[in-house]
Amino acid sequence: MVNQWAIHFNEKHWDEPTKFKPEHFLDESGGVRQHPEGFLPFSFGRRVCLGESFAKAEIFILFSWLFQHYTFSVPPGQEGKFDLKLDLGSGFVRPLLEYDIVAKKRF
């Protein structure tokens, strides 16, 4: 078993791993880093997820539709409150964190 939490929250690979920072996935010129070190959402080796290509296509379609139809923002007064610190719970399942967002229809 690969410890996904340890990989994705390793301070050696990520500056401030507990904060939501999309710029982690951008290179110096602002382009998307294709395979950032320390990022293995679908695992690797013999245990790699067989549905990786399907999942990536579905995520693209879903987010394209969402961003085409809605505008998302942080509620007033809650700027800078997003934090990815986890309650490790008791076992493999991590509890979901709740975040408030504002979603406005575009048309």
mmCIF file of all heavy atoms in Angstrom, residues 54-68:
data_model
loop_
_atom_site.group_PDB
_atom_site.id
_atom_site.type_symbol
_atom_site.label_atom_id
_atom_site.label_comp_id
_atom_site.label_asym_id
_atom_site.label_seq_id
_atom_site.Cartn_x
_atom_site.Cartn_y
_atom_site.Cartn_z
ATOM 1 N N PHE A 54 -10.139 7.351 -18.208
ATOM 2 C CA PHE A 54 -11.585 7.607 -18.155
ATOM 3 C C PHE A 54 -11.893 8.683 -17.119
ATOM 4 O O PHE A 54 -12.674 9.608 -17.368
ATOM 5 C CB PHE A 54 -12.332 6.323 -17.830
ATOM 6 C CG PHE A 54 -13.813 6.511 -17.704
ATOM 7 C CD1 PHE A 54 -14.593 6.742 -18.824
ATOM 8 C CD2 PHE A 54 -14.423 6.474 -16.467
ATOM 9 C CE1 PHE A 54 -15.960 6.927 -18.717
ATOM 10 C CE2 PHE A 54 -15.786 6.652 -16.348
ATOM 11 C CZ PHE A 54 -16.560 6.883 -17.471
ATOM 12 N N ALA A 55 -11.282 8.585 -15.935
ATOM 13 C CA ALA A 55 -11.519 9.556 -14.865
ATOM 14 C C ALA A 55 -11.083 10.957 -15.289
ATOM 15 O O ALA A 55 -11.796 11.935 -15.044
ATOM 16 C CB ALA A 55 -10.778 9.132 -13.602
ATOM 17 N N LYS A 56 -9.938 11.072 -15.937
ATOM 18 C CA LYS A 56 -9.458 12.386 -16.383
ATOM 19 C C LYS A 56 -10.402 12.997 -17.417
ATOM 20 O O LYS A 56 -10.685 14.196 -17.381
ATOM 21 C CB LYS A 56 -8.049 12.275 -16.954
ATOM 22 C CG LYS A 56 -6.999 12.087 -15.887
ATOM 23 C CD LYS A 56 -5.619 12.005 -16.490
ATOM 24 C CE LYS A 56 -4.553 11.894 -15.429
ATOM 25 N NZ LYS A 56 -3.211 11.802 -16.001
ATOM 26 N N ALA A 57 -10.916 12.171 -18.328
ATOM 27 C CA ALA A 57 -11.861 12.679 -19.329
ATOM 28 C C ALA A 57 -13.154 13.133 -18.664
ATOM 29 O O ALA A 57 -13.699 14.190 -18.994
ATOM 30 C CB ALA A 57 -12.139 11.606 -20.376
ATOM 31 N N GLU A 58 -13.666 12.354 -17.722
ATOM 32 C CA GLU A 58 -14.903 12.703 -17.027
ATOM 33 C C GLU A 58 -14.733 13.970 -16.182
ATOM 34 O O GLU A 58 -15.628 14.819 -16.141
ATOM 35 C CB GLU A 58 -15.363 11.551 -16.144
ATOM 36 C CG GLU A 58 -15.928 10.394 -16.918
ATOM 37 C CD GLU A 58 -17.188 10.778 -17.688
ATOM 38 O OE1 GLU A 58 -18.095 11.395 -17.107
ATOM 39 O OE2 GLU A 58 -17.253 10.450 -18.878
ATOM 40 N N ILE A 59 -13.609 14.100 -15.515
ATOM 41 C CA ILE A 59 -13.343 15.305 -14.713
ATOM 42 C C ILE A 59 -13.292 16.527 -15.611
ATOM 43 O O ILE A 59 -13.830 17.585 -15.282
ATOM 44 C CB ILE A 59 -12.041 15.138 -13.904
ATOM 45 C CG1 ILE A 59 -12.260 14.126 -12.780
ATOM 46 C CG2 ILE A 59 -11.562 16.471 -13.337
ATOM 47 C CD1 ILE A 59 -10.990 13.709 -12.072
ATOM 48 N N PHE A 60 -12.659 16.400 -16.770
ATOM 49 C CA PHE A 60 -12.580 17.516 -17.715
ATOM 50 C C PHE A 60 -13.985 17.942 -18.158
ATOM 51 O O PHE A 60 -14.323 19.124 -18.163
ATOM 52 C CB PHE A 60 -11.727 17.143 -18.924
ATOM 53 C CG PHE A 60 -11.706 18.205 -19.975
ATOM 54 C CD1 PHE A 60 -10.920 19.334 -19.806
ATOM 55 C CD2 PHE A 60 -12.485 18.096 -21.118
ATOM 56 C CE1 PHE A 60 -10.909 20.334 -20.778
ATOM 57 C CE2 PHE A 60 -12.482 19.087 -22.084
ATOM 58 C CZ PHE A 60 -11.690 20.206 -21.911
ATOM 59 N N ILE A 61 -14.824 16.966 -18.522
ATOM 60 C CA ILE A 61 -16.184 17.273 -18.975
ATOM 61 C C ILE A 61 -16.992 17.921 -17.849
ATOM 62 O O ILE A 61 -17.666 18.936 -18.057
ATOM 63 C CB ILE A 61 -16.885 16.000 -19.497
ATOM 64 C CG1 ILE A 61 -16.227 15.542 -20.793
ATOM 65 C CG2 ILE A 61 -18.373 16.230 -19.695
ATOM 66 C CD1 ILE A 61 -16.641 14.171 -21.251
ATOM 67 N N LEU A 62 -16.908 17.361 -16.661
ATOM 68 C CA LEU A 62 -17.661 17.893 -15.523
ATOM 69 C C LEU A 62 -17.261 19.331 -15.201
ATOM 70 O O LEU A 62 -18.114 20.220 -15.101
ATOM 71 C CB LEU A 62 -17.446 17.014 -14.290
ATOM 72 C CG LEU A 62 -18.042 17.559 -12.994
ATOM 73 C CD1 LEU A 62 -19.556 17.513 -13.045
ATOM 74 C CD2 LEU A 62 -17.516 16.800 -11.805
ATOM 75 N N PHE A 63 -15.961 19.589 -15.063
ATOM 76 C CA PHE A 63 -15.521 20.939 -14.709
ATOM 77 C C PHE A 63 -15.741 21.930 -15.845
ATOM 78 O O PHE A 63 -16.040 23.096 -15.601
ATOM 79 C CB PHE A 63 -14.064 20.938 -14.242
ATOM 80 C CG PHE A 63 -13.932 20.520 -12.808
ATOM 81 C CD1 PHE A 63 -13.646 19.203 -12.482
ATOM 82 C CD2 PHE A 63 -14.126 21.431 -11.789
ATOM 83 C CE1 PHE A 63 -13.547 18.809 -11.159
ATOM 84 C CE2 PHE A 63 -14.029 21.049 -10.458
ATOM 85 C CZ PHE A 63 -13.743 19.740 -10.151
ATOM 86 N N SER A 64 -15.627 21.481 -17.091
ATOM 87 C CA SER A 64 -15.927 22.369 -18.214
ATOM 88 C C SER A 64 -17.382 22.816 -18.157
ATOM 89 O O SER A 64 -17.687 23.998 -18.336
ATOM 90 C CB SER A 64 -15.674 21.665 -19.549
ATOM 91 O OG SER A 64 -14.329 21.333 -19.683
ATOM 92 N N TRP A 65 -18.269 21.868 -17.889
ATOM 93 C CA TRP A 65 -19.689 22.212 -17.793
ATOM 94 C C TRP A 65 -19.947 23.150 -16.614
ATOM 95 O O TRP A 65 -20.660 24.151 -16.753
ATOM 96 C CB TRP A 65 -20.527 20.940 -17.654
ATOM 97 C CG TRP A 65 -21.992 21.220 -17.697
ATOM 98 C CD1 TRP A 65 -22.783 21.278 -18.798
ATOM 99 C CD2 TRP A 65 -22.838 21.518 -16.584
ATOM 100 N NE1 TRP A 65 -24.079 21.585 -18.441
ATOM 101 C CE2 TRP A 65 -24.134 21.740 -17.074
ATOM 102 C CE3 TRP A 65 -22.636 21.617 -15.214
ATOM 103 C CZ2 TRP A 65 -25.206 22.045 -16.265
ATOM 104 C CZ3 TRP A 65 -23.703 21.922 -14.404
ATOM 105 C CH2 TRP A 65 -24.971 22.136 -14.929
ATOM 106 N N LEU A 66 -19.367 22.835 -15.448
ATOM 107 C CA LEU A 66 -19.585 23.669 -14.262
ATOM 108 C C LEU A 66 -19.100 25.098 -14.477
ATOM 109 O O LEU A 66 -19.809 26.066 -14.179
ATOM 110 C CB LEU A 66 -18.883 23.064 -13.041
ATOM 111 C CG LEU A 66 -19.567 21.866 -12.397
ATOM 112 C CD1 LEU A 66 -18.671 21.240 -11.345
ATOM 113 C CD2 LEU A 66 -20.894 22.272 -11.795
ATOM 114 N N PHE A 67 -17.891 25.257 -15.002
ATOM 115 C CA PHE A 67 -17.329 26.601 -15.188
ATOM 116 C C PHE A 67 -17.986 27.343 -16.350
ATOM 117 O O PHE A 67 -17.930 28.559 -16.417
ATOM 118 C CB PHE A 67 -15.815 26.548 -15.353
ATOM 119 C CG PHE A 67 -15.115 26.194 -14.066
ATOM 120 C CD1 PHE A 67 -14.256 25.110 -14.005
ATOM 121 C CD2 PHE A 67 -15.326 26.925 -12.914
ATOM 122 C CE1 PHE A 67 -13.615 24.778 -12.822
ATOM 123 C CE2 PHE A 67 -14.694 26.606 -11.726
ATOM 124 C CZ PHE A 67 -13.843 25.525 -11.683
ATOM 125 N N GLN A 68 -18.607 26.624 -17.257
ATOM 126 C CA GLN A 68 -19.336 27.266 -18.336
ATOM 127 C C GLN A 68 -20.666 27.829 -17.832
ATOM 128 O O GLN A 68 -21.123 28.870 -18.290
ATOM 129 C CB GLN A 68 -19.593 26.262 -19.459
ATOM 130 C CG GLN A 68 -20.279 26.842 -20.667
ATOM 131 C CD GLN A 68 -20.467 25.794 -21.759
ATOM 132 O OE1 GLN A 68 -20.424 24.598 -21.508
ATOM 133 N NE2 GLN A 68 -20.669 26.251 -22.976
#
